[in-house]
Structures are given as C-alpha cells and as structure tokens.
Amino acid sequence: MIIPSILSRGVGASSSFSRNLAVGASTTTTISNGFWRWWWGMGGGSRMWMSNLPEDAVYGGPKEQTLSSGRTTLNHLRQKYYRGQPITMVTAYDYPSAVHVDNAGIDICLVGDSASMVVHGHDTTLPITLDEMLVHCRAVFRGAQRPLLVGDLPFGSYETDNTKAVDSAVRLLKEGGMDAIKLEGGAPSRITAARAIVDTGIAVMGHVGLTPQAISVLGGFRPQGGGDGSRPARGWMLLSCFGMRTRSSGGCHNRCPSIPTIGIGAGPFCSGQVLVYHDLLGMMQHPHHAKVTPKFCKQFGHVGEAINRALLEYKEEVENKTFPSVVHSPYKISSNDMDEFLIELEKRGLSAASSAAAAAVDDLK
C-alpha cells in the first residue's frame, strides 16, 4: 500500500489509522472521504511536498565554520589571542579597499568613522552620519569575504539613550552587513549603552585612549588614558566585549588579560595593531595628515606619490596627443563601412572632413 505508507510518515495520521495500516489491504476503507479530499488538496497526490533529503541532512544543525570556507569569527580571534598570535586590523571604506584588505588576509576590517576625514574631507569624525556609514559598510561587505567586519557607531547615533544605541547597532548589522560594532569612550553611559547592545546579541568592541568623537570636550586630538587607562578598560572587560581598541599612552592593555587589545599608537605590547588604510599606504594629504600627522603611523607604501605621477603623466600624454596610441585604439571600422562613410561626407560637400577621416584611418593602420 504505497499511499498509506506515505501518509503515515508525511501527514502524521491518527493512531487508529496507523494501527489500521498494519492490517493490510482493508486499511483504506477506514479513512473517511473528507480526509481523502483534504489530503489531495494538500498535495498528497504527489511527492513534491516531501523532502528528498535524509532527515539528518535537513536537521543536522549548523556546520563548523573554518577560515577556508567562511569569514573570520570571534572564536578564531579568541584562539589567536590565547596562542599569543598578534591580531591584524585595518580600516576600509569602499569596495576596492575592502578587496585589498581581504586579499592580504587581515583578521579584522574596521569601517571606521575616520571615513569622515579620509573620504569625505572633514576635519573631524563628527560630521559623518549613520546613513553615510551604512553606505560605506555595504560597500566593504561586498568586497571583504574573509575578515571580521566591525562598523563604527558614529557620533550622535548612540549617546542619548540605550534604545537609540541598540537601533543604530542593529542597522549596522542588518543593513550594513557588519559582524560587530565599535563605540568610543569608557564613561558609565557608554558602558550602559554597550551593555544594552550586547544583551541584544550584538558583539561590541570598545575604544579607549584617544577618542576623536570627544574632540569638543578635549579641545583637539589629544591622547588619553595614561596611568588611568585601566579604569575605562576594566569597564569594557567586565562588559565581556570581544576586544578593545586603544590609543592609550599607558599600560592599560597589560591590565586587561581577558580580552584582546588592538593598539594604534599604544606600543608593541597589545594583542594586535590597527592602522588607517590611507595612512599606512601613504595615499593622500587629507586634513588629518595636514594638521595632526600621526607619529605612530608607519607608511608601508607611497601610493599617493604613485597616483600623482600617474595623473600628471596622463595629463601630459593627452595634451601632446600621444595618448591614445594605436595600441589603445582597438576598435576598428570595416573597410566597407569606412568607404560608405567617406562617400557620404563627399555627398554632403564635406571634402575636407572626408580627407581628414581617410588620413586618420591610415595613421591607425
């Protein structure tokens, strides 16, 4: 009895029906006509509604994620931290920079509010909005497949109340594709906001030391922390954040053994290091460089100089008509089409144009 055997597994028939299945050929007579009509209406006349996979394949649970098959996770970072392996972190703000960071095998890619300065040209990080940050986050998400993605909560998106902080963090994950968020400061209000975000199920990275979003109070870009850096650091540690970025000039990173610290100008004894993409590449003279040159930043490249040389060379070759040359003019007109074109010019009384066009074609041969 093929149909009853399907029913007993797929539909979950009544116990009396299941017992009748064991009897044999007479089982179908015990099923009411109403049941049959319902069964056919639910698609019982075909096997399309049944899974063709074994149960353990459908309900086997999530598979273990590995670096070769997926994105870096907090567990991967935790393992590196416990093994004493330095963690690498670099900022990115668009698809091309994200691809480069991804290809380099960087552990963490930070979509920082520093985009306000290095991309949008502002003097500080304060003007950038959450909506603008989301544009950067989405672009980085499309370009970086391997690093853990951390998005900065910009100034004004989390300070007023915990609900706003949670809403902003949720948007960075749902709309921006981020894996975690970062927020600045070690004040009790910031810790409370971060705790609400963590309770929502979102990973949080703390930020102590130089806090650019506090420039209004600090009166400029001034490194903070020093010997007192351990106080805000302990706040983040007790919150169970997965990490802390620090620009502290003191040794707070040595006093937080439970979470990794990612330094930027905080010395070599942190769990890892972070630099701004444009800074480490020597890419451009943005306001941050012009007014506050980072003493801690090593330029691992001089991309800005290469860009300037390339643009000047391009301008010169266009002006002296050496670009585009034959090599960079790959699209040719057929002889027949060219003849028709020259004849049409002659018919319209444009003999000079016809001669010039013919000469140009000869030059490209």
Side-chain angles (χ1 to χ4, degrees):
M1 298 297 295
I2 297 177
I3 292 177
S5 65
I6 295 174
L7 280 172
S8 64
R9 291 187 298 162
V11 178
S14 65
S15 58
S16 61
F17 173 66
S18 300
R19 284 194 300 271
N20 287 332
L21 285 178
V23 176
S26 62
T27 55
T28 55
T29 60
T30 65
I31 306 175
S32 67
N33 291 333
F35 182 89
W36 280 116
R37 286 195 297 271
W38 170 84
W39 180 67
W40 282 101
M42 290 293 290
S46 70
R47 299 176 64 93
M48 293 178 62
W49 56 282
M50 294 184 61
S51 173
N52 61 354
L53 296 174
E55 186 174 3
D56 59 349
V58 180
Y59 302 105
K63 300 296 186 292
E64 182 179 358
Q65 189 179 39
T66 62
L67 288 179
S68 61
S69 62
R71 193 176 296 283
T72 299
T73 66
L74 298 186
N75 187 46
H76 297 138
L77 298 179
R78 192 176 300 113
Q79 291 173 7
K80 291 193 71 170
Y81 174 58
Y82 289 149
R83 289 194 297 262
Q85 297 174 333
I87 298 170
T88 56
M89 182 174 175
V90 175
T91 65
Y93 313 101
D94 55 21
Y95 178 82
S97 60
V99 171
H100 285 301
V101 170
D102 185 76
N103 289 338
I106 301 298
D107 296 316
I108 305 174
C109 182
L110 171 66
V111 186
D113 59 358
S114 47
S116 176
M117 303 173 70
V118 299
V119 177
H120 295 275
H122 297 296
D123 289 344
T124 71
T125 64
L126 301 184
I128 197 166
T129 66
L130 180 61
D131 287 335
E132 289 173 325
M133 285 296 299
L134 285 169
V135 173
H136 293 293
C137 288
R138 285 191 288 267
V140 170
F141 171 77
R142 288 189 287 268
Q145 303 299 316
R146 180 189 181 279
L148 182 83
L149 300 181
V150 180
D152 256 339
L153 285 184
F155 181 73
S157 66
Y158 64 94
E159 295 88 348
T160 53
D161 61 74
N162 292 347
T163 300
K164 184 174 183 179
V166 170
D167 290 344
S168 298
V170 168
R171 290 191 67 190
L172 280 186
L173 267 68
K174 293 189 67 173
E175 300 177 35
M178 297 294 98
D179 301 309
I181 63 98
K182 182 176 76 65
L183 51 80
E184 286 189 9
S189 60
R190 305 296 175 88
I191 300 297
T192 301
R195 184 179 299 280
I197 296 172
V198 171
D199 289 344
T200 306
I202 299 174
V204 172
M205 172 176 274
H207 180 147
V208 298
L210 173 60
T211 50
Q213 291 181 10
I215 187 174
S216 177
V217 176
L218 299 176
F221 290 101
R222 304 176 186 276
Q224 303 294 310
D228 294 331
S230 60
R231 286 205 295 267
R234 278 198 297 268
W236 291 114
M237 180 178 63
L238 293 174
L239 179 60
S240 297
C241 289
F242 74 87
M244 179 177 64
R245 179 176 135 171
T246 174
R247 283 188 179 177
S248 169
S249 58
C252 73
H253 42 273
N254 294 325
R255 306 181 188 181
C256 298
S258 65
I259 58 175
T261 53
I262 312 299
I264 180 167
F269 302 107
C270 294
S271 313
Q273 298 293 327
V274 58
L275 283 178
V276 171
Y277 182 84
H278 296 72
D279 289 349
L280 75 89
L281 293 178
M283 182 167 283
M284 59 186 291
Q285 292 297 316
H286 51 72
H288 183 57
H289 281 145
K291 297 181 179 179
V292 188
T293 302
K295 297 179 181 179
F296 54 79
C297 180
K298 177 180 178 179
Q299 290 187 346
F300 291 85
H302 301 283
V303 176
E305 294 178 5
I307 292 174
N308 289 336
R309 286 196 303 270
L311 290 173
L312 288 172
E313 185 177 350
Y314 163 74
K315 177 177 180 291
E316 181 180 350
E317 290 195 9
V318 170
E319 290 177 344
N320 62 28
K321 297 184 178 181
T322 58
F323 175 84
S325 63
V326 175
V327 176
H328 298 100
S329 302
Y331 308 108
K332 311 297 182 183
I333 186 171
S334 68
S335 298
N336 292 336
D337 289 342
M338 189 62 197
D339 291 340
E340 292 179 3
F341 176 63
L342 296 177
I343 292 173
E344 186 64 27
L345 288 177
E346 293 287 349
K347 289 180 178 179
R348 294 173 181 264
L350 302 172
S351 298
S354 176
S355 299
V361 171
D362 289 337
D363 290 340
L364 290 175
K365 290 181 180 178

